[in-house]
Amino acid sequence: MRVAVIGTGYVGLVQGAAFADVNHNVTCVDKIKAKIDHLNEFCEGKRNDLPILEPDLPRLVKENYDKKRLRFTTDINEAVKEAKIIFIAVGTPANEDGSANLNHVRNVAHDIGKAMNYESETPIYKIIVTKSTVPPMTYKMVHDAIAEETKNEFDVVSNPEFLAEGRAVKDCLRPSRIVVGTSNAKAASIMDELYAPFKDREVSIMFMSNIDAEIVKYASNTYLAAQVSLTNAMANLSRELGADWRKVLEGVKKDARVGRFVYAGLGFGGSCFPKDVRELIHTMSQHRPGTADLEYVEMIVKQNEAQKELFLPRIEKYYNSIEGKKLAVWGTAFKPETDDTRESAGVHMIKELLLKGAYVSAYEPSGSEQAMFTLSLDEKIKPHLSRLSFVSDMYEAVKDAEGVVITVEWNDFRNPDFLQVKKLLKKPVIFDGKDILNPRQMKEEGFDYFSVGRPDVLGHTK
Ligand SMILES: NC(=O)c1ccc[n+]([C@@H]2O[C@H](COP(=O)([O-])OP(=O)(O)OC[C@H]3O[C@@H](n4cnc5c(N)ncnc54)[C@H](O)[C@@H]3O)[C@@H](O)[C@H]2O)c1
């Protein structure tokens, strides 16, 4: 089947390559020429990296490009003309008030409508699929925007994406489920054909209305975000009472009804949970104002924002003041196996430390580009950037620092060479924002150690 995917970010690029991998003929489109050039240069062997870091994606893209099932262009007209199914996979960032900014989606819908007005001997019929995460009822907006531009026949299908960064290729090749929202039998049957190869992988395809499908995505992410905030609330209580959340968990997790997001941390980040829960709050405030339901969802965000602030007061208390002191930060991606730093605990931590007058030496295994870009856009941070250095080695980062803050559970940080870390640090102090180290070992190694869900350890300052 001929497919066009508009937007080649974390979702569009991976999903486009996954469709090509099951033998569809895919054209990926982006408005950023530099991105398309980058992708083409990678495929032609002129460079080694893709615009995003995602395990196994380079192989998937290259193999399917070589088999001529995947190509990249900025020409949306050509892509729409050739395709039967057109996916919209552009960004839907949050507006100031928490609502989703649908400008990219709207613009693409208009562009698709215009591109459908080509000469054809046979009647033109297309399926336009929203893959982007969009608020309930957006399918109507997409429909109206396309209808403003063309008289040709089309249907709008809502097909939310559930991939998780860091395992996006696995998720797209074998999705947990495929949700197809349409009330139109013809569109449903074509979507069934598109996804047929996934049925052989025992993936269930669920058909429902557009509005059902749109809400599935928000409900799923809100369930997961609620688990994270509840986990952190329980971990904080454990620490305060001198209990070890990891031990408590051993008991809690035995109940199969308890979810997966049970490890304590510095709150959820990334490009999805924070913005999607805020968008749900925006939708709820319109349709369920003044209800406990709304307050309940609001509390998820409130707890998460408080969780992000968990370490700074404890760091300041420990040092009395951090002004002029150098601290190391390990990790700026919002989770391991991705380079995405959107709403990450690491970037947040760097900002807080810089604003308090500290010098920061940071290391991120996936590279410093994204974090530096985000930080350089922040007007409040700009004047402090001279006190930030990114280094390309985790041990170099801790050299002459007063302590190290871990914000992501990259494998490198789980079992560092403690002897070396201790030798390089000015003072052996670790703030572990992901509870990945062992407090007993920290005491034995002679570190002062602070975590999220375990009592403080004073292995150095006895
Ligand atoms: N990242 C995730 O883990 C994830 C998971 C599930 C769903 N989603 C949702 O999928 C959508 C895309 O997310 P993402 O992380 O891939 O975003 P992204 O910002 O990484 O990529 C979006 C791409 O769309 C392109 N674009 C914007 N306007 C365009 C236009 N008019 N024409 C062509 N290209 C255009 C941008 O240049 C960019 O390359 C969002 O709605 C997001 O909420 C994301």
Side-chain angles (χ1 to χ4, degrees):
M1 248 179 185
R2 286 198 167 263
V3 176
V5 181
I6 320 294
T8 57
Y10 291 87
V11 168
L13 180 58
V14 184
Q15 188 61 74
F19 281 138
D21 205 55
V22 292
N23 248 328
H24 293 309
N25 199 314
V26 182
T27 304
C28 287
V29 182
D30 208 284
K31 65 175 181 179
I32 300 178
K33 187 173 176 300
K35 206 172 219 182
I36 294 300
D37 288 346
H38 188 150
L39 286 161
N40 281 322
E41 282 164 20
F42 167 81
C43 290
E44 288 155 14
K46 293 180 186 154
R47 61 189 301 164
N48 297 323
D49 62 326
L50 285 173
I52 56 168
L53 177 82
E54 199 57 59
D56 206 26
L57 189 58
R59 177 200 61 81
L60 197 72
V61 168
K62 185 78 171 75
E63 273 180 21
N64 286 288
Y65 178 89
D66 288 347
K67 287 179 182 156
K68 304 206 180 325
R69 295 194 293 236
L70 181 64
R71 67 184 196 98
F72 302 98
T73 179
T74 52
D75 187 349
I76 190 168
N77 292 320
E78 198 57 29
V80 168
K81 187 175 171 185
E82 287 173 357
K84 187 168 195 171
I85 307 182
I86 301 136
F87 281 85
I88 301 178
V90 295
T92 48
N95 287 317
E96 286 272 295
D97 63 356
S99 62
N101 182 332
L102 294 176
N103 288 344
H104 295 309
V105 174
R106 191 178 293 105
N107 291 342
V108 171
H110 279 286
D111 290 346
I112 293 170
K114 284 179 199 152
M116 281 173 65
N117 296 326
Y118 56 88
E119 297 286 321
S120 167
E121 283 169 12
T122 50
I124 294 171
Y125 171 73
K126 309 269 179 198
I127 294 180
I128 291 84
V129 187
T130 42
K131 239 317 149 204
S132 299
T133 302
V134 290
M137 306 305 284
T138 301
Y139 72 98
K140 284 201 163 152
M141 179 277 275
V142 171
H143 185 279
D144 293 349
I146 299 170
E148 266 180 43
E149 306 293 347
T150 186
K151 295 273 171 282
N152 285 316
E153 201 195 336
F154 68 92
D155 281 301
V156 175
V157 171
S158 308
N159 174 216
E161 180 53 58
F162 301 101
L163 67 79
E165 284 175 31
R167 45 164 300 135
V169 170
K170 273 191 202 141
D171 286 348
C172 281
L173 292 178
R174 199 177 284 273
S176 55
R177 72 285 207 198
I178 294 166
V179 169
V180 178
T182 176
S183 305
N184 180 287
K186 184 171 161 188
S189 140
I190 294 172
M191 291 300 287
D192 195 48
E193 204 185 317
L194 172 82
Y195 279 118
F198 294 89
K199 284 191 211 163
D200 301 340
R201 298 173 186 181
E202 287 170 25
V203 178
S204 45
I205 305 179
M206 280 158 275
F207 289 90
M208 55 187 77
S209 69
N210 290 80
I211 187 76
D212 290 342
E214 286 175 338
I215 296 177
V216 167
K217 177 65 191 173
Y218 282 98
S220 298
N221 272 3
T222 305
Y223 267 99
L224 299 176
Q227 281 177 32
V228 176
S229 63
L230 183 59
T231 290
N232 285 329
M234 296 311 300
N236 292 339
L237 179 70
S238 300
R239 180 188 70 251
E240 286 298 331
L241 293 176
D244 181 335
W245 174 242
R246 287 269 169 157
K247 279 278 154 206
V248 177
L249 253 191
E250 283 175 21
V252 177
K253 264 176 57 182
K254 286 288 171 207
D255 188 330
R257 293 167 301 176
V258 172
R260 269 190 54 212
F261 285 78
V262 288
Y263 296 101
L266 296 176
F268 54 77
S271 65
C272 294
F273 287 9
K275 100 173 155 60
D276 293 352
V277 181
R278 277 190 216 117
E279 163 47 44
L280 185 75
I281 290 170
H282 185 262
T283 301
M284 270 205 168
S285 63
Q286 290 174 331
H287 299 276
R288 306 276 299 138
T291 59
D293 307 354
L294 172 60
E295 271 179 52
Y296 178 82
V297 183
E298 281 172 337
M299 285 314 287
I300 298 171
V301 171
K302 209 168 167 191
Q303 197 291 329
N304 196 55
E305 277 164 7
Q307 197 67 18
K308 286 190 172 168
E309 306 301 327
L310 183 77
F311 267 6
L312 189 69
R314 293 168 72 195
I315 291 173
E316 285 198 290
K317 189 172 166 209
Y318 179 83
Y319 295 104
N320 288 321
S321 161
I322 52 170
E323 196 176 343
K325 290 199 164 68
K326 177 175 163 182
L327 286 155
V329 172
W330 278 354
T332 53
F334 84 95
K335 65 175 184 179
E337 307 301 334
T338 182
D339 55 352
D340 196 343
T341 60
R342 290 178 275 191
E343 305 224 20
S344 78
V347 170
H348 186 78
M349 180 58 63
I350 291 174
K351 284 185 186 178
E352 287 190 315
L353 295 174
L354 290 176
L355 287 173
K356 290 285 175 186
Y359 287 78
V360 178
S361 170
Y363 168 70
E364 161 57 38
S366 69
S368 60
E369 232 172 68
Q370 285 211 23
M372 274 316 284
F373 180 69
T374 313
L375 289 161
S376 64
L377 291 181
D378 191 324
E379 290 301 324
K380 256 181 24 200
I381 297 302
K382 262 187 194 167
H384 305 280
L385 281 178
S386 58
R387 278 186 280 106
L388 169 66
S389 58
F390 260 100
V391 293
S392 54
D393 178 88
M394 62 190 268
Y395 295 104
E396 196 188 332
V398 297
K399 192 165 177 258
D400 296 328
E402 303 269 344
V404 53
V405 187
I406 302 173
T407 65
V408 198
E409 67 276 32
W410 280 100
N411 271 343
D412 291 357
F413 307 153
R414 287 182 183 275
N415 194 15
D417 178 343
F418 289 112
L419 264 183
Q420 205 183 341
V421 174
K422 201 172 167 189
K423 213 159 75 187
L424 289 167
L425 279 170
K426 228 169 166 180
K427 200 171 177 195
V429 191
I430 299 180
F431 293 89
D432 178 1
K434 291 304 283 188
D435 285 16
I436 51 177
L437 303 181
N438 182 332
R440 193 164 355 110
Q441 188 188 1
M442 291 299 90
K443 191 163 195 162
E444 285 162 13
E445 301 272 0
F447 283 89
D448 285 353
Y449 174 75
F450 304 91
S451 59
V452 179
R454 284 88 57 93
D456 297 348
V457 171
L458 294 179
H460 174 69
T461 337
K462 295 200 180 75

